[in-house]
Amino acid sequence: MTPLLLIPRKMSDRPLTTVILAMSADGKISDSVRSPILFGSPQDKTHLEQQVAAADAVITGAGTFRVKGTAMRILNPDLMAQREREGKPPQPVQIVASASGNLDRNIPFFQQPISRWLLTTPTGAEPWQNHPGFDKILATQTPSGSVDWHDALQQIANLGIKKLAILGGGNLVASLLAEDLIDELWLTICPLLLGGSAAPTPVDGSGFSTQTAPRLELLEVKTIDAEVFLHYRLRRQQESTSPRS
């Protein structure tokens, strides 16, 4: 097939993207064995559900998907009623991002009453073409064979998704940050220390230098019991590089 070209697009051509993650006080989103056990409090779970309810779709990377095996569903009837009043389905679309498409077809995710989409490459899409696991398959790639994130978010926007919640993991967040495709973050700091060089963080991948690190603007701080909820906006690259007045 003809390779897809990475063409910069205006932010209005893609969904508003918000990362929503809980992390330990030392910046880990899971332990060194990537346990599926959540360490956030019930208040953090409520916060997560509220943010998911405000989204049209949520996206999860393949690594996080394989660990959890289920979708982040809305269970609060008030939030479901709110979505109905807004003309939305009870649950947001659940998108799994996997370049290889190598996913276990026997996990609970595929039995849940949700709309499921797969975001992958043309090669990763092939095993799913005649399988009922996903309602939609979005395939795109760069000349190097990885997911073309600019085109992927454009496709998602073309399907009516205006608000996209990003639930991890760190490699997915890193890939989108590298392309300047994250708008906001909600980070919950939980009162525990996990440690470990192998434990994942909100942003994994190869990392950024001090000069190229994405810059944040703090929008809101909330403290509930021992947890701190931080709401950031990503400063666009042109904002980060422009001289200060």
Side-chain angles (χ1 to χ4, degrees):
M1 63 177 289
T2 303
L4 296 169
L5 299 178
L6 277 173
I7 302 173
R9 294 177 173 88
K10 298 179 182 178
M11 189 173 61
S12 59
D13 292 337
R14 62 169 177 80
L16 175 73
T17 54
T18 303
V19 174
I20 309 162
L21 291 172
M23 66 182 186
S24 63
D26 58 335
K28 307 295 186 178
I29 59 175
S30 185
D31 55 28
S32 59
V33 296
R34 299 179 184 257
S35 168
I37 299 174
L38 300 177
F39 50 75
S41 69
Q43 290 88 348
D44 177 61
K45 176 63 167 60
T46 297
H47 167 79
L48 172 61
E49 191 172 6
Q50 290 171 341
Q51 297 302 317
V52 168
D56 300 309
V58 302
I59 186 169
T60 305
T64 299
F65 172 80
R66 293 185 184 107
V67 169
K68 295 185 176 179
T70 60
M72 174 56 211
R73 295 175 58 214
I74 301 167
L75 301 178
N76 185 316
D78 292 335
L79 294 176
M80 295 174 69
Q82 175 184 319
R83 288 180 60 87
E84 183 179 3
R85 290 193 297 270
E86 295 172 351
K88 298 178 180 179
Q91 302 293 332
V93 175
Q94 303 282 333
I95 306 174
V96 180
S98 172
S100 69
N102 182 19
L103 304 169
D104 185 353
R105 302 182 183 190
N106 299 310
I107 58 176
F109 174 83
F110 291 107
Q111 281 72 53
Q112 291 180 287
I114 53 174
S115 178
R116 290 174 285 269
W117 297 0
L118 173 63
L119 175 59
T120 185
T121 61
T123 299
E126 290 177 2
W128 296 93
Q129 291 294 345
N130 298 312
H131 190 276
F134 289 102
D135 303 305
K136 293 185 187 298
I137 299 176
L138 312 180
T140 179
Q141 70 178 21
T142 64
S144 64
S146 60
V147 171
D148 182 336
W149 287 108
H150 287 272
D151 184 68
L153 292 191
Q154 179 68 67
Q155 290 191 48
I156 290 171
N158 291 345
L159 291 167
I161 304 301
K162 297 180 180 179
K163 294 183 178 180
L164 179 64
I166 301 161
L167 305 187
N171 285 320
L172 172 61
V173 175
S175 296
L176 292 169
L177 276 174
E179 298 295 331
D180 199 23
L181 293 172
I182 299 292
D183 298 313
E184 297 184 356
L185 297 97
W186 267 109
L187 299 175
T188 303
I189 301 178
C190 302
L192 78 164
L193 299 170
L194 289 173
S197 59
T201 69
V203 185
D204 284 335
S206 58
F208 299 92
S209 69
T210 303
Q211 291 76 23
T212 62
R215 265 44 180 188
L216 306 175
E217 175 187 349
L218 183 62
L219 300 179
E220 184 179 355
V221 179
K222 296 190 297 184
T223 302
I224 303 177
D225 295 332
E227 291 178 330
V228 181
F229 297 78
L230 302 174
H231 186 194
Y232 289 103
R233 180 181 76 92
L234 264 292
R235 294 173 60 188
R236 303 263 64 84
Q237 289 181 351
Q238 59 268 30
E239 295 178 76
S240 301
T241 56
S242 61
R244 294 182 180 180
S245 58

